[in-house]
Amino acid sequence: MSTVDDSSHVSSPLSPVPETAPSPRRRRVDLRLWLPLGVLLLIGAASVLGPGLLDLEPEAQDLGNRLQEPVWLGGDGGALGTDAFGRDLLARTLAGGQVSLAVGFGAATGAVLLGVLLGLVAGYRGGRLDRAIMSVADVWLAFPFLVLALAAVAVVGSDIPVLIALLTLGGWVLPTRVTRTIVQRLRGEDYVVAATGAGASDAYVVWRHLLPQVLPVTLVVWSFTVGTLVVIESSLSFLGLGVRPPTPSWGNLISDGTSYLETAWWILTWPALMIVVTVLCANALGTALRRRLNDVALDPKVLT
């Protein structure tokens, strides 16, 4: 009686190891990325849609109902209380978010677009043009921004488009420096040299090979810039250099509440809280994006 080896059960050392089916796993949701993004979207949606959906009037005055506590504290001031003119603070906080977020997001987008353009030009062309752009950036950093803000507001006013343009000019230096650093590292890469040697135009090389590498880091810079410019806009409004009352913004709401800090603390609490949450979420989003895009970005130390 002979025994026969069952080759179906014995693997040769030279035979490939059979692949096992991966166990089904659900991809974990990155809360560090999606939570701050969701909060920012919620704040933006509430600011834009809230007054209309809730039928709120930010500028409606009721002097007989002034300085009322929120209803959950036993007062008759609605969800968040009323101010010194009897205006509903929920309506004014949401309406103030429209101004502060519009200026912050709009100026951050403008600053990043301008900075990326200048950084691409400076980093790729080099030479005198690079030195000229970087010299202007150094001088711009040394120039007191509040002096520029005072002059601009005195000449052209403080409407929202003016504030967006003003803060765009105040925030272009960082995106320019970051973009320039990345492009300087990229322009010596083989694929860039090969494209240039093959007769590709500068515009094609920048658009096809350099800009896609810059965009991930630019997105991170944009997120951090949003938080910075929201704070700057609120500071300008607090000092009276932003939008003029009765149009609300988070900055001038805080300014209005400083006179009633001991008797009506809720006037400045809610806009201050919205600024804190918005800036924290914008910075947390930038940090999460930076971590997520480290494989795409050439060097995360560029942003430090």
Side-chain angles (χ1 to χ4, degrees):
M1 181 177 177
S2 61
T3 58
V4 180
D5 293 336
D6 190 354
S7 59
S8 63
H9 295 286
V10 180
S11 299
S12 169
L14 300 179
S15 61
V17 178
E19 296 183 358
T20 58
S23 59
R25 291 182 180 177
R26 293 184 178 179
R27 297 186 64 181
R28 297 178 60 183
V29 176
D30 189 358
L31 291 180
R32 290 176 294 183
L33 173 65
W34 293 107
L35 182 60
L37 178 60
V39 173
L40 286 176
L41 292 176
L42 179 61
I43 293 174
S47 298
V48 174
L49 303 176
L53 293 177
L54 300 177
D55 195 20
L56 300 174
E57 294 293 337
E59 299 180 13
Q61 300 183 13
D62 182 6
L63 295 179
N65 199 36
R66 62 190 301 269
L67 300 179
Q68 290 293 319
E69 293 182 339
V71 292
W72 45 274
L73 290 178
D76 296 324
L80 301 183
T82 60
D83 66 3
F85 295 95
R87 295 173 296 194
D88 185 79
L89 284 177
L90 175 60
R92 292 186 63 75
T93 301
L94 293 179
Q98 295 179 12
V99 174
S100 297
L101 293 178
V103 173
F105 279 86
T109 302
V112 167
L113 290 176
L114 178 60
V116 168
L117 176 61
L118 294 175
L120 287 170
V121 172
Y124 185 70
R125 298 297 298 178
R128 294 181 179 178
L129 188 58
D130 178 27
R131 290 193 295 271
I133 293 175
M134 289 300 102
S135 296
V136 172
D138 292 337
V139 172
W140 198 262
L141 284 178
F143 192 81
F145 179 73
L146 281 180
V147 174
L148 174 64
L150 283 169
V153 169
V155 173
V156 297
S158 58
D159 294 334
I160 292 178
V162 174
L163 290 175
I164 291 176
L166 185 62
L167 295 183
T168 295
L169 293 177
W172 65 273
V173 175
L174 176 61
T176 300
R177 289 181 176 274
V178 171
T179 303
R180 172 180 175 266
T181 302
I182 297 174
V183 172
Q184 284 182 329
R185 297 183 181 185
L186 284 175
R187 68 182 181 183
E189 294 291 329
D190 293 340
Y191 58 90
V192 176
V193 175
T196 304
S201 64
D202 292 343
Y204 177 83
V205 172
V206 169
W207 179 262
R208 179 66 178 83
H209 297 294
L210 299 181
L211 186 59
Q213 300 293 329
V214 170
L215 286 179
V217 179
T218 300
L219 186 61
V220 177
V221 174
W222 175 84
S223 182
F224 286 122
T225 305
V226 167
T228 300
L229 295 186
V230 166
V231 171
I232 293 177
E233 184 279 330
S234 299
S235 301
L236 292 175
S237 296
F238 179 84
L239 296 173
L241 302 177
V243 294
R244 301 295 185 185
T247 302
S249 76
W250 289 338
N252 61 33
L253 289 177
I254 294 176
S255 179
D256 292 342
T258 54
S259 302
Y260 304 94
L261 183 58
E262 295 183 359
T263 58
W265 55 266
W266 53 87
I267 297 178
L268 64 78
T269 298
W270 311 122
L273 182 62
M274 295 300 289
I275 293 173
V276 170
V277 172
T278 300
V279 173
L280 287 178
C281 287
N283 291 341
L285 178 61
T287 302
L289 287 172
R290 176 180 174 180
R291 184 181 61 252
R292 176 69 68 89
L293 298 173
N294 268 346
D295 293 336
V296 180
L298 288 177
D299 187 0
K301 294 180 181 179
V302 170
L303 295 179
T304 59

